[in-house]
Amino acid sequence: MSHFAVVPGAAVSSVLAEAHQDVLRIVADTYLAHEQGHTVNPDSYFLRFPDKPNARVIALPSYLGAGVDTIGMKWIASFPDNVKEGLPRASATLLLNDYATGYPLACLEAAGISAVRTAASAATAAARLVTGTEPVRLAVIGAGVIARTIVDYLHAAGVRVADVLVHDLDATSAGHLSEHAKARFGVPVAIGTLDDALGRDLVVFATTAATPYVPADTALRPGQVLLNISLRDIAPELLLRCNNVVDDVDHCLKAQTSPHLAEQLTGGREFINGTLGALLQDDLTLDPDKPTVFSPFGLGILDLAVGHYVLREARRRGTAVEIPDFIGETKRW
């Protein structure tokens, strides 16, 4: 009980590189556990800075039962200006605690964990929402780490793709993601405009946009699926013409997300059809004559579940750094 483990980034990456199917299963199971009331997932806490208005650090505390019985907190920094220096936008750590005693168990480098849980969430939704027998025409708006990881997880989830269009304001990033998507899917990939992207069957938003830029009068069509991963790209008026699926209603309708703006616009939440957990339980019916938008705020329980798995695997492989006698006092008297 006095021991503590540190799992560095290289060890985390090694586990996750071979774990796509496991992560997809874990994420789906965690959504179901949340839907069934086996979690505690309070509000995320935002730390902002007057002289860096586009930067933030977020704390996501959570508890997951359902056989995991672990407490955790992800502490994730998002500093978009890092991109100008060739650095990743996000960095993160994950702290795990034992549910029986509350004692700390481990600290994991968690940027990769955060990326894969986000991507697995998107892919899980896409695999359920995309209908029809033909491969979809995919567009990815935003070409960073999250977009790259979503491409990997769409492939792992078996979403069949006919071709890919990439749109990003940074041509270098768009080029990198285009090559990655071509290697992953083995289909034609092009770089195109926002208008071109918005016409695709499956549209992924993975940007750092702070306010909506997709116009309210954008023409969408029945059956089209939009994965609103970055949450603030789409005009709220446009959401009102769509089916809307979220990860958690209370979490998603805050912090000036597009669904939150839609709630402010209408004064209610009637435009929300339900949650991904309900969809996975076949408890959610959507209007086939509308496009569907999936907006996940990002639940700390997903980081906790994936981190719990990574810790177990790293210990099994001997790549976790064990710190004996981390707890100073193990007896009350």
Side-chain angles (χ1 to χ4, degrees), residues 47-279:
L47 175 64
R48 300 186 184 275
F49 314 96
D51 60 338
K52 291 188 175 185
N54 66 339
R56 64 183 187 266
V57 188
I58 312 174
L60 291 82
S62 59
Y63 161 73
L64 174 61
V68 177
D69 281 336
T70 302
I71 307 163
M73 186 176 75
K74 180 174 72 170
W75 180 244
I76 181 165
S78 174
F79 279 55
D81 289 347
N82 285 355
V83 175
K84 301 173 185 176
E85 306 299 325
L87 299 172
R89 172 187 58 83
S91 59
T93 54
L94 175 67
L95 184 67
L96 301 180
N97 292 67
D98 178 61
Y99 183 57
T101 65
Y103 285 6
L105 294 173
C107 181
L108 298 85
E109 195 280 330
I113 291 170
S114 185
V116 302
R117 68 82 149 148
T118 300
S121 173
T124 298
R128 291 301 298 259
L129 293 172
V130 170
T131 59
T133 59
E134 297 299 317
V136 296
R137 304 192 73 199
L138 169 66
V140 184
I141 299 171
V145 172
I146 296 299
R148 181 184 71 206
T149 313
I150 290 172
V151 165
D152 291 342
Y153 272 82
L154 289 173
H155 181 264
V159 177
R160 296 190 302 135
V161 172
D163 58 23
V164 183
L165 185 142
V166 175
H167 173 72
D168 194 285
L169 299 178
D170 181 78
T172 301
S173 296
H176 286 312
L177 183 61
S178 297
E179 291 303 315
H180 183 78
K182 186 181 299 182
R184 183 64 66 226
F185 288 115
V187 299
V189 180
I191 297 173
T193 67
L194 177 62
D195 285 343
D196 291 336
L198 293 173
R200 294 299 180 104
D201 305 317
L202 176 61
V203 183
V204 177
F205 293 94
T207 75
T208 58
T211 56
Y213 58 88
V214 177
D217 61 355
T218 299
L220 301 177
R221 62 181 184 276
Q224 196 173 6
V225 176
L226 290 77
L227 303 180
N228 184 28
I229 307 305
S230 39
L231 288 173
R232 295 171 179 85
D233 305 69
I234 304 171
E237 296 88 349
L238 186 56
L239 289 187
L240 301 179
R241 308 204 315 264
C242 302
N243 296 309
N244 285 278
V245 180
V246 299
D247 53 358
D248 181 283
V249 177
D250 289 333
H251 283 76
C252 195
L253 273 66
K254 60 168 59 78
Q256 301 302 303
T257 64
S258 294
H260 188 203
L261 295 177
E263 180 188 31
Q264 294 173 26
L265 185 66
T266 63
R269 298 180 169 186
E270 292 79 12
F271 66 94
I272 299 291
N273 297 79
T275 65
L276 180 55
L279 184 68

